[in-house]
Amino acid sequence: MNIIDRRLNPKGKSLANRQRFLRRAKAQVMRAVRDASGKRRIRDIDTGGDVTIAPDGVKEPTFHRASSGGIRDVVVPGNKDFIEGDRIPRPPSGGGRGGREGSPDGEGEDEFRFVLSREEFIDMFLEDLELPDLAKRKLATIEDYSWSRAGYSVTGSPANLNLVRTMRNSLSRRIALKRPKADEVQRLREEIDALERADSHDAEALSTLRAELELLLRRSQRIPYIDPIDVRYNRFQATPKPVAQAVMFCLMDVSGSMTEHMKDLAKRFFMLLYLFLTRRYKNVEVVFIRHTHRAQEVDEDTFFYSTETGGTVVSTALEEMLRVLRERYPPDDWNIYAAQASDGDNTSYDNARTLHLLSEEILPLCQYYAYIEVGSDPEMVPVSFSSSGRESDLWQTYKGLQQSGGPFAMKRVRHRREIYPVFRELFARDQAATGVSA
Amino acid sequence: MTTTDLAVRPLYEGADWDFDRLHTVFAAIEEVGLKDLGLDIYPNQIEVITSEQMLDAYSSIGMPLLYRHWSFGKHFARDEVLYRKGLRGLAYEIVINSNPCISYIMEENTMTMQALVIAHAAFGHNHFFKNNYLFKQWTDADGILDYLSFAKEYVSRCEERYGLTAVERVLDAAHALMNHGVHRYPRRRALDLRLEEKRQKERREHEERMFNDLWRTVPAKADTFSPFSDRDRRRALLGLPEENILYFLEKRAPRLQSWQRELLRIVRHLSQYFYPQRQTKVMNEGCATYCHYRILGLMHERGLITDGAWLEVLHSHTNVIFQPEFDDPRYGGINPYALGFAMMQDIERIATAPTAEDREWFPDFAGHGDAMAVLRDAWANFRDESFVLQYLSPALIRKLKLFHVQDNAREPTMVVEAIHNERGYREIRKSLARQYDIAWAEADLQIVDVDLSGDRKLVLEHRAMNQVVLDEDDARAVLQHLADLWGYEVVLEEIDSASGARLKKHTVGPRTIIGQATVGA
C-alpha cells in the first residue's frame, strides 16, 4: 500500500478546460456580463462575480427519450395507501415524476450559473466595448517623478560630480602609474639645493639628482593629478511616482431630454474611466453631480435612476464641482478628473459663463476633463437633424477650448460600441501628454 | 468504554489525521477487509489531495488525467459554484478502476472520514472492480492510466497541428455519440489498451512510410464496378446493422482523416471503459457501502475505533443511504447507495437468518450461513439488472414500500400496476430490474443502411419502446453532429418496436464538413 501526498501538485488543472469553456460560451458570457455591468454600481465594476447564461451554446446533447408521451413504467418507493389498480392524477408537467425524467430540459440545464474571476469579468467587460487589451496600453502620463540614486555615471552635470568617487579613482590611477608625490619632489629639490650650496659639491651626484628630478617632474606632467577618466558623477534615476489618489467627477445633465439610452452610454463611459483610474491609483473617489437648472451632488442611484426635469443650466454643475473640490479635494493632494456627459443642450445665456468657469477655474486644476456628448442610438432612431450635422450649444461652446490645447477633450458617442474607441482617443498617450504639459 | 475493552486501545482519538495514523488505520482496515470479509483487491494507492484538486478531478469524469475539452471546464465551473456556495458537498472520495487502484482522499476530512473512505473505496470499490465479470471483460485496469496519458497527448498534438476548433468539433460530435460508442457484447479478443496505443503508433508510421503522392495521379477506371448493388449484400459487407455508431464512423465514414478517426477511437475507448460502471451503479455503491459499514462496524466492536468515531461513521453512512419517498420534495429517483446497501444487508439476513418466505424465494442460498461468500458471488457475477431480478426479496420490497406506476400518455391518469403485496412482488421486481437494464433505459439506436454507391445517405433506426420517441431537439442536435462526421445526409427513423410502425423521421444534412476532403486522406 502506498499513501502519496499530492497536495503540492500543481493546482488549476482545469484552467485550460475553463478557458476553453469560456471561449466556447463567449457570446453568452459577454451578453451576461453586459447585462450584469448595466446593473452594477460603478465602484463594483472591477470585481468578478456570478453570471448566468443560457445553456444554448454549451449544451451537450445526447439521444435520450422525450420526457412525455408513450407508455412509461416506473417503480418508486414509499407507497402509503395505494392499492393495485388505483388511478393517480398525473403530476404537473416538469415536476416530480420519477425525478430523473422530470426536468423539461432533459438534464436540468435550464440555466447555467458560474462565477467569473475579476480578470475574466474585466476582460469580458472591455471586450464588450470592443477593445483589444487595456493592460498593454500605457494610456496616460505620469504626473510626478521621484529621483533616486542609481550608482555613478561618467557623464553628468558639474553639480552632480561625486568628489569622493572621483578622487578615489584618481588616487588609484596615480598609485598604479607611479606619479611622483609632491613631498618626494620637494625632498629631491632640497637635496639638490643643499648640494648646490655646499662648496665641495659632488658634481656627479648633483647631475644624477637633477636628472632624477627632471624625470619626476616630467612624469607628474604626463600623469595628471585628476584625469577625465577619473571623474564620476552621481547618477539619478527617475521613477514615475504614481500619485496615490484621484477623484473623478461625474457630471451629468439629467434634464428630460436625456433618455435612458443616453444615461446608459454615460454610465458606461464613467465605468471605463473608473476602471482606468483604479488601475493607476490606489484610491479613487467618485463624485456624482447631476444638474438641470440646479446642480446637486448625489449618490450613484440617484445619479442614474432618478427622474428629475427642469431647464438646463450647465454652469451650475461646474459651480457645484468647484465647491466640492474646494471643500474636500485640495488639488495639491488629489489628481482631479472630470467627465461630463450631456446631450449638448444648454440655455443660451449660460454658455459664456460655462466657458469662463471651465477655462479659467476648472481646467487649471484638472488632470483631464472629458466631455462626451451622448446621442440617441442611430440604429433605433432614424437619423434626424439633431443627431446628424447640427452642432449643439455646448459643442459649439467647448470647441474653442479643445483648440486651445488645454487638458480637455470632447467626443460624440451614439452607440455603446463607440464608447471604447472614444475613450481611447480621449486618453491616448500623446494627447494626454500635451494636455498635462500645458 | 467498558472495562473489558481496555485490552485494545483505539487506533486514534480525535479528528486530526496524519500520515502515521493513516498507515495504522489502513493496516487495521486491511486486516478486517481481507481476513473477515475475504475481499480480493488490487494493490492500493491512496492519494491525499486538496478540495480544489478534488474539484478538478471531479469535473474530468473522475479521471486523473484526461485530454482537454470545454465540457470539463463547464462542469468545473458549475461544480465550483455549487461547492463554494455550500449547495453541494464534495464527494468524499474518488476511486479509479486501475491497477494499482487509486483512491483520492481529501485533506479536509477528519481521521474518521479518511477511515470511512478507505474502507469504502480502497476496499469496497476495489474488490468490485477486480472481481465483477463486466469489469473483467471490458476494462483493462493495467492499461487505463497509460492509455489516458496517451490520449491526452494525442489530443494536444492534434490541437497543435490542426487547431483547437477543428479538434473541438470532432470531440463535441464524438461526445454527443459517446453512449453509442460501446460494444455491448464481448468479442473474442480481450481489450488491451497498451497494445492499442502501440498499434496506433504503428499505423501512423506505416501510413507515413507508405504515403506516395504519385498514386493520386493514377487515372481512375471509367466504369467502376460497384459491389454495393444489392441491399443485403451491402449491409453484410458493412457489418450492418451496427449499434456502435462511433465504431462504424471510425471505420467507414468516407471523409474523415486518420487523426479524426483516432479521436473517435479515443472517445469510444473511454466510453467502453465506463460502460461497466454505468451498468453496475447499484451493485458497485452497494458493495462499497456494505464493506465500509461492515469493516468499521467490526473495528468498533473490537475497540479499534472509539464510540465517537463510530457515531461519526453512522452519521455519514445514514446520509449516504438516505432514500426520500416519492412524495418527498427531496425525491430524485432511487438512490443507488440506498438500494444497493439495503439489498446487500438483505442478502446477509437471508443467508444467516432466513424466514420461510426467504427459503421459498431463495432456495439457493437461504440459510447458507456464510453471508460473505454469497455476497462475493453476487458481486462477481451480476450487473444491476440481473442482480435486482435475482436478489430483490419480498421483505425488502415491503420495507421500501415499492410500487409500480404506469403512465400511459393516452390515458387521463396514471395507474398503479402493482404494490408491495403477494401479487405484486414479481411484477415490481421485474420492472425495477428493467429500470436498470441499460439496453432498455437507453435509446436503442442502430445504423441500418447506407447507400455507398448512391448519395451516401446514412440510415439509422430507433426502436422506440412503448412508443416513447426521442427528445426532438436533442436528437436533431446529435444527428447534426453525426451528419458532420459522416459528411453526408443522415436519416433517423423512429420505429415502434411492437408494431413496426414508423413514428417519426428526422433528416439532417452535414453543416460543415469535418473531414475536409483532401486528396489522399
Side-chain angles (χ1 to χ4, degrees):
Chain A
M1 193 267 306
N2 237 339
I3 297 181
I4 301 174
D5 190 354
R6 293 261 188 237
R7 284 171 296 175
L8 292 179
N9 272 19
K11 289 185 287 189
K13 236 172 50 176
S14 335
L15 191 67
N17 289 331
R18 185 181 170 87
Q19 283 165 344
R20 278 168 170 73
F21 163 64
L22 282 181
R23 190 171 64 90
R24 170 86 181 205
K26 195 162 166 190
Q28 286 112 297
V29 177
M30 286 212 326
R31 212 176 306 141
V33 165
R34 195 192 306 149
D35 293 346
S37 62
K39 285 177 215 132
R40 248 167 216 228
R41 310 181 65 82
I42 286 179
R43 281 185 196 85
D44 297 337
I45 190 66
D46 65 345
T47 54
D50 271 37
V51 292
T52 307
I53 63 174
D56 308 344
V58 291
K59 210 166 157 182
E60 295 166 272
T62 53
F63 284 127
H64 61 92
R65 299 208 170 108
S67 54
S68 60
I71 303 164
R72 284 143 204 282
D73 292 280
V74 62
V75 175
V76 283
N79 180 19
K80 314 254 167 10
D81 40 31
F82 296 133
I83 56 161
E84 197 182 321
D86 272 359
R87 296 199 161 255
I88 319 174
R90 208 164 269 131
S93 67
R97 189 192 38 228
R100 217 155 32 97
E101 299 161 343
S103 162
D105 223 322
E107 287 173 309
E109 295 194 55
D110 311 307
E111 56 177 29
F112 190 86
R113 201 160 64 107
F114 63 100
V115 176
L116 285 177
S117 74
R118 187 169 172 267
E119 271 65 36
E120 283 165 346
F121 190 91
I122 291 175
D123 278 356
M124 294 283 178
F125 173 77
L126 298 176
E127 183 104 24
D128 181 24
L129 294 161
E130 288 173 17
L131 82 165
D133 194 357
L134 185 66
K136 280 184 192 148
R137 294 192 62 88
K138 288 183 179 151
L139 274 166
T141 56
I142 286 124
E143 293 75 13
D144 205 357
Y145 292 97
S146 73
W147 292 93
S148 58
R149 289 283 297 272
Y152 306 96
S153 83
V154 291
T155 57
S157 74
N160 288 338
L161 183 74
N162 185 309
L163 218 55
V164 174
R165 182 56 63 126
T166 305
M167 291 315 291
R168 190 195 290 171
N169 285 345
S170 145
L171 179 65
S172 50
R173 183 180 48 80
R174 276 180 276 134
I175 292 170
L177 298 180
K178 298 203 174 99
R179 185 181 198 271
K181 291 189 181 120
D183 48 350
E184 217 174 310
V185 177
Q186 184 65 25
R187 183 180 51 82
L188 219 54
R189 282 217 163 105
E190 276 166 14
E191 270 179 42
I192 292 172
D193 217 28
L195 267 178
E196 278 172 346
R197 283 207 195 134
D199 291 335
S200 57
H201 62 264
D202 184 347
E204 199 182 336
L206 190 65
S207 65
T208 326
L209 281 176
R210 277 199 181 130
E212 205 175 325
L213 177 67
E214 196 185 341
L215 184 71
L216 286 187
L217 286 177
R218 213 168 51 223
R219 192 176 272 175
S220 353
Q221 269 166 1
R222 273 224 191 116
I223 303 169
Y225 191 77
I226 292 181
D227 190 277
I229 65 166
D230 301 334
V231 179
R232 290 294 180 274
Y233 299 91
N234 290 332
R235 202 170 85 83
F236 289 92
Q237 202 172 33
T239 338
K241 188 172 92 187
V243 181
Q245 49 193 3
V247 59
M248 166 177 133
F249 285 91
C250 304
L251 311 176
M252 187 162 71
D253 175 4
V254 292
S255 63
S257 56
M258 286 287 285
T259 60
E260 277 308 307
H261 170 74
M262 293 171 174
K263 286 183 184 173
D264 183 60
L265 289 180
K267 181 170 179 181
R268 278 159 195 280
F269 186 85
F270 294 137
M271 275 183 169
L272 257 183
L273 181 59
Y274 183 77
L275 202 58
F276 166 72
L277 293 178
T278 41
R279 257 127 225 256
R280 308 206 335 113
Y281 299 106
K282 281 188 195 120
N283 179 16
V284 180
E285 295 210 359
V286 193
V287 177
F288 296 99
I289 294 172
R290 62 167 188 180
H291 74 91
T292 52
H293 58 285
R294 292 180 301 122
Q296 194 185 1
E297 185 188 351
V298 292
D299 62 24
E300 187 177 339
D301 286 329
T302 326
F303 187 70
F304 285 107
Y305 303 111
S306 88
T307 46
E308 198 193 29
T309 47
T312 316
V313 183
V314 175
S315 62
T316 55
L318 300 180
E319 276 162 6
E320 177 73 2
M321 173 176 166
L322 272 175
R323 183 187 66 79
V324 175
L325 224 160
R326 289 199 178 109
E327 269 173 29
R328 308 210 300 264
Y329 303 103
D332 291 343
D333 300 338
W334 290 85
N335 290 289
I336 293 152
Y337 290 85
Q340 181 189 2
S342 165
D343 59 356
D345 284 341
N346 194 18
T347 316
S348 50
Y349 69 78
D350 185 51
N351 287 334
R353 170 148 182 76
T354 306
L355 186 62
H356 174 79
L357 270 175
L358 203 56
S359 61
E360 301 301 318
E361 308 213 25
I362 291 181
L363 287 187
L365 302 178
C366 275
Q367 298 290 336
Y368 204 58
Y369 190 102
Y371 169 65
I372 58 159
E373 191 163 301
V374 288
S376 337
D377 189 342
E379 282 160 25
M380 313 272 288
V381 184
V383 179
S384 67
F385 66 94
S386 67
S387 58
S388 62
R390 193 181 73 94
E391 285 180 348
S392 68
D393 301 329
L394 270 182
W395 191 267
Q396 283 177 342
T397 312
Y398 284 170
K399 218 157 61 173
L401 276 178
Q402 193 182 26
Q403 281 150 8
S404 73
F408 178 84
M410 53 200 277
K411 280 284 165 199
R412 279 203 191 89
V413 179
R414 286 202 203 95
H415 193 276
R416 209 181 261 154
R417 67 172 167 267
E418 295 170 359
I419 292 176
Y420 181 70
V422 163
F423 182 86
R424 244 174 58 174
E425 237 175 287
L426 291 181
F427 286 85
R429 190 180 185 120
D430 50 339
Q431 204 168 342
T434 53
V436 171
S437 66
Chain B
M1 192 183 287
T2 57
T3 42
T4 49
D5 288 332
L6 272 176
V8 186
R9 281 172 50 81
L11 297 172
Y12 66 92
E13 312 233 6
D16 296 341
W17 64 269
D18 57 41
F19 285 91
D20 286 343
R21 279 186 205 165
L22 275 185
H23 277 281
T24 331
V25 170
F26 184 93
I29 292 174
E30 187 169 38
E31 167 114 12
V32 177
L34 302 190
K35 288 212 180 118
D36 294 273
L37 272 63
L39 300 178
D40 167 30
I41 56 171
Y42 290 123
N44 268 305
Q45 178 162 320
I46 313 273
E47 306 197 356
V48 182
I49 60 176
T50 62
S51 56
E52 200 170 349
Q53 288 167 323
M54 186 61 102
L55 263 175
D56 274 343
Y58 216 54
S59 30
S60 48
I61 37 182
M63 298 316 275
L65 33 97
L66 201 57
Y67 53 83
R68 288 175 176 164
H69 189 259
W70 61 268
S71 125
F72 310 134
K74 167 183 155 183
H75 290 120
F76 182 80
R78 181 200 291 258
D79 293 342
E80 192 188 22
V81 168
L82 294 177
Y83 174 62
R84 293 259 153 87
K85 304 220 154 157
L87 294 176
R88 183 200 283 167
L90 272 181
Y92 298 120
E93 39 88 20
I94 283 182
V95 55
I96 293 158
N97 165 26
S98 62
N99 180 14
C101 177
I102 299 175
S103 318
Y104 292 127
I105 58 178
M106 276 200 294
E107 67 170 347
E108 286 89 341
N109 291 349
T110 60
M111 185 62 229
T112 303
M113 281 310 298
Q114 308 292 34
L116 177 67
V117 168
I118 290 172
H120 181 92
F123 288 87
H125 283 306
N126 189 345
H127 172 85
F128 195 79
F129 288 148
K130 190 173 174 194
N131 294 282
N132 184 265
Y133 79 106
L134 279 174
F135 286 86
K136 279 186 171 169
Q137 219 159 52
W138 285 119
T139 64
D140 173 21
D142 296 315
I144 183 66
L145 293 181
D146 287 340
Y147 187 73
L148 285 178
S149 102
F150 151 76
K152 183 177 180 180
E153 215 189 291
Y154 190 87
V155 171
S156 85
R157 271 215 315 276
C158 285
E159 284 176 341
E160 268 169 39
R161 225 165 137 171
Y162 308 103
L164 284 180
T165 328
V167 172
E168 188 177 284
R169 224 181 274 158
V170 179
L171 285 179
D172 283 357
H175 284 179
L177 293 162
M178 198 164 176
N179 286 347
H180 303 275
V182 288
H183 289 297
R184 289 173 203 276
Y185 306 101
R187 287 162 298 165
R188 285 158 307 224
R189 144 183 90 76
L191 203 71
D192 185 338
L193 292 172
R194 220 172 280 184
L195 208 67
E196 192 62 49
E197 179 188 340
K198 208 176 114 215
R199 208 179 284 160
Q200 194 281 331
K201 230 173 243 162
E202 284 166 5
R203 265 200 304 274
R204 164 128 222 116
E205 280 162 14
H206 177 78
E207 268 165 28
E208 274 167 11
R209 266 200 310 277
M210 291 298 126
F211 178 76
N212 188 341
D213 202 36
L214 268 184
W215 284 108
R216 189 169 51 80
T217 63
V218 175
K221 267 186 214 155
D223 52 338
T224 327
F225 166 71
S226 166
F228 305 112
S229 41
D230 120 72
R231 180 181 147 102
D232 290 339
R233 196 175 135 72
R234 175 174 74 222
R235 285 172 38 130
L237 272 174
L238 289 169
L240 294 176
E242 172 65 69
E243 60 174 355
N244 191 336
I245 299 177
L246 280 182
Y247 177 78
F248 182 84
L249 289 171
E250 177 195 324
K251 299 295 178 211
R252 307 279 181 192
R255 306 180 85 152
L256 292 183
Q257 295 179 19
S258 60
W259 63 271
Q260 293 166 324
R261 292 177 203 277
E262 191 60 36
L263 292 184
L264 296 190
R265 175 192 293 268
I266 285 172
V267 174
R268 184 164 67 78
H269 280 318
L270 213 59
S271 180
Q272 191 78 59
Y273 175 80
F274 283 113
Y275 186 56
Q277 306 207 5
R278 277 161 54 208
Q279 295 185 77
T280 54
K281 254 202 149 125
V282 170
M283 289 191 75
N284 202 346
E285 294 305 351
C287 165
T289 309
Y290 180 81
C291 284
H292 80 230
Y293 185 74
R294 277 293 304 273
I295 291 174
L296 295 174
L298 284 169
M299 285 170 68
H300 175 240
E301 269 172 34
R302 290 167 197 175
L304 293 169
I305 56 176
T306 62
D307 293 350
W310 177 239
L311 278 176
E312 192 185 341
V313 169
L314 286 179
H315 177 76
S316 303
H317 175 76
T318 41
N319 275 344
V320 164
I321 60 160
F322 175 61
Q323 174 67 65
E325 300 190 330
F326 78 101
D327 48 0
D328 190 311
R330 290 168 294 182
Y331 181 74
I334 291 178
N335 174 0
Y337 290 82
L339 181 63
F341 181 68
M343 286 187 69
M344 304 305 164
Q345 271 203 319
D346 199 45
I347 291 170
E348 182 191 329
R349 182 187 60 78
I350 295 168
T352 50
T355 61
E357 184 189 49
D358 296 326
R359 286 191 191 281
E360 189 192 317
W361 279 66
F362 304 103
D364 291 350
F365 67 92
H368 179 282
D370 186 353
M372 276 318 297
V374 176
L375 280 171
R376 281 197 304 268
D377 179 58
W379 293 337
N381 298 312
F382 291 85
R383 58 186 173 135
D384 286 351
E385 179 239 346
S386 53
F387 178 63
V388 169
L389 201 57
Q390 190 73 27
Y391 287 97
L392 187 67
S393 74
L396 190 59
I397 294 178
R398 283 195 300 271
K399 193 175 155 203
L400 295 174
K401 303 199 190 86
L402 294 175
F403 66 114
H404 171 204
V405 183
Q406 189 173 67
D407 178 6
N408 186 340
R410 294 201 184 130
E411 305 279 330
T413 51
M414 307 194 295
V415 181
V416 176
E417 290 279 310
I419 63 163
H420 46 89
N421 61 14
E422 203 65 47
R423 284 199 306 173
Y425 296 144
R426 284 183 201 279
E427 168 62 28
I428 285 175
R429 188 156 84 163
K430 203 178 80 200
S431 39
L432 184 63
R434 214 151 56 156
Q435 272 183 30
Y436 289 106
D437 183 357
I438 208 160
W440 199 87
E442 282 184 359
D444 171 21
L445 275 116
Q446 297 192 339
I447 295 173
V448 289
D449 198 11
V450 50
D451 187 0
L452 269 190
S453 58
D455 56 8
R456 296 187 170 177
K457 190 177 355 177
L458 189 67
V459 184
L460 282 88
E461 211 173 81
H462 170 225
R463 293 249 149 210
M465 207 84 68
N466 290 335
Q467 297 149 27
V468 181
V469 291
L470 295 175
D471 178 273
E472 175 140 11
D473 291 346
D474 264 26
R476 286 196 78 82
V478 181
L479 280 178
Q480 183 65 66
H481 281 307
L482 180 54
D484 292 346
L485 287 174
W486 179 245
Y488 300 93
E489 202 171 64
V490 174
V491 177
L492 169 65
E493 292 184 338
E494 302 205 48
I495 312 264
D496 182 33
S497 61
S499 63
R502 196 163 85 182
L503 301 171
K504 238 179 182 180
K505 184 177 173 180
H506 316 259
T507 310
V508 176
R511 170 177 48 184
T512 45
I513 295 153
I514 284 186
Q516 288 295 337
T518 50
V519 184

